[in-house]
Amino acid sequence: MNIHEYQAKQLFQQYGIAVPKGEIASTGEQAQQVAQSLDSDAWVVKAQVHAGGRGKVGGVKVVTELNDVAGIASEMLGKRLITKQTVAEGLPIELVLVEETSAIDHEFYLSLLVDRATSGLCFVASASGGMDIEEVAESSPEKIINITVNPLSGLQSYQCRQVAFALGLRGQQIKALEKIMRALLALFVEKDASQIEVNPLITTKTGELMALDAKINFDDNALAMHSDIAAMQDKNQEDEKENLAQQFELNYITLNGTIGCMVNGAGLAMATMDLVQLSGGQPANFLDVGGGATKERVAEAFKLILSDTQVKAVLVNIFGGIVQCNIIAEGIIAAAAEIGVTIPVIVRLEGTNAPEGRALLNESTLNITAAENLQSAAEMAVALAEAA
Ligand code: GDP
Ligand code: MN
């Protein structure tokens, strides 16, 4: 789960990480009041959406006239912000964060994430922080350093100094960075985060370190243990189809391709997506209907896939271990008939009662094809999607 910048900054404050003073507002008038209450001669108005890249598209504005704050805030509010990190239609701006401006001396990049290669938490840092960090990562990766935290011995002071030196920090700043790194680590572990990003972390003209931006992702599977974090969820920022999937306990993730995939088992779903790619197509989604898929779940999954207008063909790949293939076939036929599916559906069934399942599909008058094997199913789906 993602949270907003202002919420992440509240957590930073709880953990002793300095952030600029500010408040959120939902109207231009409110934004103006917040600005007025801040003892500053300039203000930053920041669109609150679950995505980065706001600075490049007008989602972060520095305002030097108090009387301009209301206008600039109301211009953002109610619109959708499209950044490199959002879906094509962008995300709704329902809140802005109004902050005092900070006198920036330098912008750094600092993040903490799970590194699967070392099975540990890893700090990623760069002296070239700010809005072009992706470009830095691409063209000069040597400017980015990684420090892995050993889960047994914990974060060592020398590791913090390594980061501090790489960032070119001096004197008191070195201790200050260690404090921030320890706070990030504590926050990460205690709240079951999966990623924290501070970009930019800045030094001010007076030499202080401060988090100017904050992004935190949390592990969905741990949310039940953190009611404070779960309460921060903003469904309006999330994918509608993914929220719907959650209701039916389907593991669904929207992707960009044209081939809708319905698979039982996460591993099989990943392998299916690989095969689609190998056959020259692009999956429209990841969808695991689960091991114990029922007729109803299959029907809901089907509706979900087809609600994506990008989908030109559906590839169903079910291995009948616990579930029986004939039951799945009935579910597919019922769902396809109910919603009036017009696009081709290719089904690969294997396992318990597979011949019965395939026979049911072949008997149906709907646009459903039972494939011989997974390879040909994937190839057929790609060819039919391309032809559409
Ligand atoms: P993002 O583009 O969504 O990551 O949004 P950020 O919060 O990182 O803001 C983008 C950029 O706006 C930062 O890299 C800064 O250069 C600039 N910015 C943000 N806050 C301030 C501020 O208080 N003062 C000044 N001068 N610039 C700011
Ligand atoms: Mn940023």
Side-chain angles (χ1 to χ4, degrees):
M1 190 187 86
N2 272 326
I3 59 172
H4 285 292
E5 175 193 8
Y6 80 91
Q7 295 164 321
K9 282 180 167 168
Q10 284 167 0
L11 286 166
F12 278 13
Q13 270 181 306
Q14 278 178 36
Y15 281 81
I17 299 169
V19 298
K21 280 203 195 76
E23 295 278 349
I24 45 162
S26 58
T27 65
E29 204 174 297
Q30 249 180 40
Q32 182 101 8
Q33 279 164 13
V34 173
Q36 202 149 13
S37 73
L38 295 168
D39 179 26
S40 183
D41 46 19
W43 301 268
V44 191
V45 179
K46 309 183 79 175
Q48 297 300 287
V49 292
H50 283 189
R54 296 165 301 165
K56 296 222 158 174
V57 293
V60 178
K61 291 218 163 111
V62 178
V63 190
T64 49
E65 289 292 330
L66 181 60
N67 286 330
D68 291 344
V69 173
I72 284 174
S74 32
E75 194 141 307
M76 288 184 190
L77 288 160
K79 295 235 172 70
R80 296 180 79 90
L81 191 72
I82 303 169
T83 84
K84 256 190 179 166
Q85 296 181 12
T86 64
V87 285
E89 63 269 25
L91 290 171
I93 308 171
E94 295 178 321
L95 291 170
V96 292
L97 175 62
V98 182
E99 290 183 330
E100 60 182 13
T101 45
S102 313
I104 302 173
D105 186 51
H106 194 94
E107 297 193 6
F108 305 98
Y109 177 93
L110 180 65
S111 67
L112 180 57
L113 44 89
V114 182
D115 179 18
R116 288 175 207 283
T118 56
S119 309
L121 296 185
C122 178
F123 280 99
V124 179
S126 177
S128 309
M131 293 197 280
D132 294 313
I133 189 67
E134 286 87 359
E135 161 80 24
V136 173
E138 190 115 322
S139 59
S140 32
E142 72 283 354
K143 289 189 180 157
I144 295 174
I145 65 157
N146 300 319
I147 299 282
T148 302
V149 183
N150 184 305
L152 288 179
S153 51
L155 180 63
Q156 301 293 309
S157 289
Y158 82 87
Q159 294 184 300
C160 301
R161 286 197 295 275
Q162 254 177 329
V163 177
F165 295 146
L167 299 186
L169 300 180
R170 270 177 244 151
Q172 290 303 313
Q173 291 172 343
I174 299 168
K175 276 261 177 284
L177 181 77
E178 174 162 355
K179 224 184 113 209
I180 290 174
M181 288 175 68
R182 291 197 182 282
L184 289 175
L185 189 60
L187 167 57
F188 196 107
V189 173
E190 284 166 22
K191 301 292 185 189
D192 285 303
S194 54
Q195 191 171 1
I196 305 182
E197 187 187 69
V198 191
N199 185 33
L201 171 74
I202 61 158
T203 43
T204 62
K205 299 280 185 208
T206 48
E208 269 94 30
L209 282 166
M210 190 185 257
L212 218 58
D213 191 9
K215 284 196 177 58
I216 311 182
N217 299 334
F218 294 93
D219 179 352
D220 290 347
N221 294 316
L223 284 176
M225 297 191 289
H226 305 288
S227 53
D228 56 337
I229 304 297
M232 292 181 179
Q233 182 171 25
D234 181 354
K235 287 201 184 259
N236 294 346
Q237 297 288 323
E238 296 175 354
D239 187 289
E240 228 173 283
K241 292 195 286 298
E242 287 177 19
N243 278 335
L244 205 64
Q246 239 173 28
Q247 273 177 38
F248 294 105
E249 291 174 40
L250 298 163
N251 295 306
Y252 175 94
I253 294 165
T254 303
L255 300 168
N256 295 323
T258 55
I259 297 169
C261 298
M262 177 159 84
V263 189
N264 66 336
L268 192 58
M270 305 265 258
T272 305
M273 287 163 39
D274 281 350
L275 256 177
V276 166
Q277 296 240 22
L278 274 175
S279 312
Q282 291 289 334
N285 65 278
F286 167 94
L287 172 59
D288 168 18
V289 289
T294 60
K295 211 163 120 179
E296 288 73 27
R297 294 258 300 279
V298 168
E300 288 308 329
F302 228 80
K303 286 185 209 163
L304 198 62
I305 291 174
L306 293 170
S307 68
D308 181 347
T309 51
Q310 301 248 61
V311 171
K312 302 286 180 264
V314 180
L315 172 57
V316 181
N317 181 18
I318 302 283
F319 180 79
I322 301 166
V323 334
Q324 296 174 357
C325 291
N326 55 320
I327 302 285
I328 294 292
E330 279 172 24
I332 294 168
I333 293 166
E338 187 194 329
I339 36 190
V341 183
T342 49
I343 60 172
V345 178
I346 298 92
V347 186
R348 179 258 186 173
L349 291 174
E350 210 47 81
T352 314
N353 295 352
E356 288 88 335
R358 278 198 288 267
L360 281 170
L361 293 174
N362 286 331
E363 281 160 25
S364 104
T365 51
L366 297 155
N367 193 0
I368 304 177
T369 314
E372 287 289 306
N373 55 52
L374 183 48
Q375 178 83 35
S376 68
E379 283 165 7
M380 237 196 279
V382 173
L384 288 168
E386 262 167 26

